Amino acid sequence: MTPTGLKDWQTGRGASGPTLIPHIAAVDLFATINRLEVPFIVIQGGDDPITTTPLASAFFEHVEAPAKELVVIEDAGHFPHLTLTKEFLAALAGAIKQTDAGRRRAE
């Protein structure tokens, strides 16, 4: 993300965050999601102070799915898709390749 893009994103987050964050924080994902019928990937920032790696790992273990992958990006915080974009995209691409659709696309 470019510096201008990051600034724009932060401005938008500042405008919407006070309204959205309390609603997001009120959702108990452990009670909401037990099983998925699709592959499940969690890409976690290793230094995330908001959704800690132990919490993300516990949720990952809680969810049943036909295929699962937990990727921890070291030195990343809560927004690895913004701060370590190349690493995030590599993790996402690697997980997609492991799915049936990803394997068919590669053929």
Side-chain angles (χ1 to χ4, degrees):
M1 175 173 284
T2 67
T4 300
L6 181 58
K7 183 178 179 187
D8 291 345
W9 177 84
Q10 289 171 328
T11 300
R13 182 184 65 165
S16 61
T19 301
L20 293 176
I21 290 174
H23 296 285
I24 294 167
V27 175
D28 179 359
L29 290 179
F30 287 88
T32 305
I33 302 172
N34 294 310
R35 175 157 180 72
L36 296 171
E37 301 299 325
V38 296
F40 177 50
I41 180 171
V42 174
I43 303 176
Q44 171 68 23
D47 296 332
D48 187 340
I50 298 168
T51 306
T52 64
T53 299
L55 179 59
S57 296
F59 181 66
F60 175 80
E61 292 300 326
H62 168 80
V63 174
E64 295 178 29
K68 299 186 342 179
E69 185 172 353
L70 171 64
V71 178
V72 178
I73 300 177
E74 298 303 327
D75 302 320
H78 192 65
F79 300 107
H81 60 291
L82 299 176
T83 58
L84 293 173
T85 305
K86 288 180 185 176
E87 292 85 344
F88 178 87
L89 291 174
L92 184 58
I96 290 170
K97 287 178 185 175
Q98 298 304 311
T99 67
D100 289 340
R103 286 190 293 273
R104 283 193 304 271
R105 183 177 171 104
E107 293 173 351

